[in-house]
Amino acid sequence: MSREIFPTNFPEIPMIQKALLHELRQNSARAVMLHQLISEKMGLNATDHKCLDYLNRTGPVTAGQLADITGLTTGAVTNIIDRLEKAGYVIRDKDPNDRRRVVVKPIPEGSAQLSPMFHSIMQSTLNIISRYNEQEILLILDFIRQCNEMTLVEMNKMKTESDL
């Protein structure tokens, strides 16, 4: 039995938009569960795993930069870095441009452990993407970018509201 829950202040959402909202929620839930499974295999929690993913994509950053990228607090990021360092996925090092600052660097061996888990996922995703022409991909890309930005804005709103 399936039941859709939409806020009462949005009673007239067209069916196509309801279907898209449903699939976005489904995609979000499945992505969380997938990354939880991957995290467990790595001996991490999902937040630590996703922060490691950011580090692998961005390269060395400060804790403050990682907080900005993720939308997490600096305190939370410090704890995440501690756990990732203890698990052998990152190291802290002096910033080559400012020796007073510390940067967090992913360890290549840690990334090597992740690659096999994502090979099949990447291949499957590329198979899906190949079904769309360039114009359609640009539209999807715009939508995803706007969703990503909206998510960060909403996270920041929640952090500000909780501080009141």
Side-chain angles (χ1 to χ4, degrees):
M1 179 169 78
S2 176
R3 199 178 75 155
E4 287 302 319
I5 301 171
F6 289 97
T8 55
N9 53 341
F10 297 103
E12 299 300 323
I13 299 173
M15 287 304 294
I16 191 74
Q17 290 180 5
K18 283 184 181 181
L20 180 57
L21 287 170
H22 171 79
E23 292 301 327
L24 285 169
R25 289 174 69 187
Q26 185 79 329
N27 179 262
S28 174
R30 287 186 178 169
V32 168
M33 300 305 166
L34 171 67
H35 288 286
Q36 178 62 36
L37 178 61
I38 291 167
S39 300
E40 289 172 8
K41 288 183 174 285
M42 296 173 59
L44 299 172
N45 69 45
T47 303
D48 295 356
H49 158 57
K50 293 315 294 176
C51 286
L52 179 59
D53 179 48
Y54 275 118
L55 287 167
N56 282 326
R57 288 185 282 136
T58 63
V61 296
T62 65
Q65 290 169 321
L66 187 57
D68 289 343
I69 293 167
T70 61
L72 299 170
T73 65
T74 53
V77 166
T78 298
N79 291 329
I80 290 165
I81 293 167
D82 289 344
R83 290 189 299 269
L84 289 173
E85 188 175 42
K86 184 177 178 183
Y89 288 105
V90 302
I91 59 168
R92 287 177 166 101
D93 201 3
K94 292 196 182 298
D95 185 334
N97 300 319
D98 183 350
R99 304 295 283 166
R100 296 168 294 174
R101 291 184 355 169
V102 172
V103 294
V104 182
K105 294 181 176 179
I107 297 172
E109 296 80 20
S111 296
Q113 290 177 356
L114 288 173
S115 294
M117 285 189 257
F118 285 98
H119 182 77
S120 176
I121 295 167
M122 182 63 77
Q123 187 59 55
S124 296
T125 303
L126 289 170
N127 289 342
I128 293 168
I129 291 171
S130 71
R131 298 175 189 165
Y132 297 94
N133 66 42
E134 185 175 346
Q135 195 66 29
E136 291 168 327
I137 291 173
L138 288 171
L139 183 65
I140 294 166
L141 184 59
D142 178 62
F143 177 77
I144 297 284
R145 283 181 176 153
Q146 288 188 55
C147 285
N148 289 339
E149 183 60 30
M150 175 273 303
T151 301
L152 194 54
V153 167
E154 292 298 323
M155 287 171 63
N156 287 328
K157 277 188 208 175
M158 285 183 193
K159 284 192 297 192
T160 302
E161 291 169 359
S162 68
D163 292 341
L164 298 177

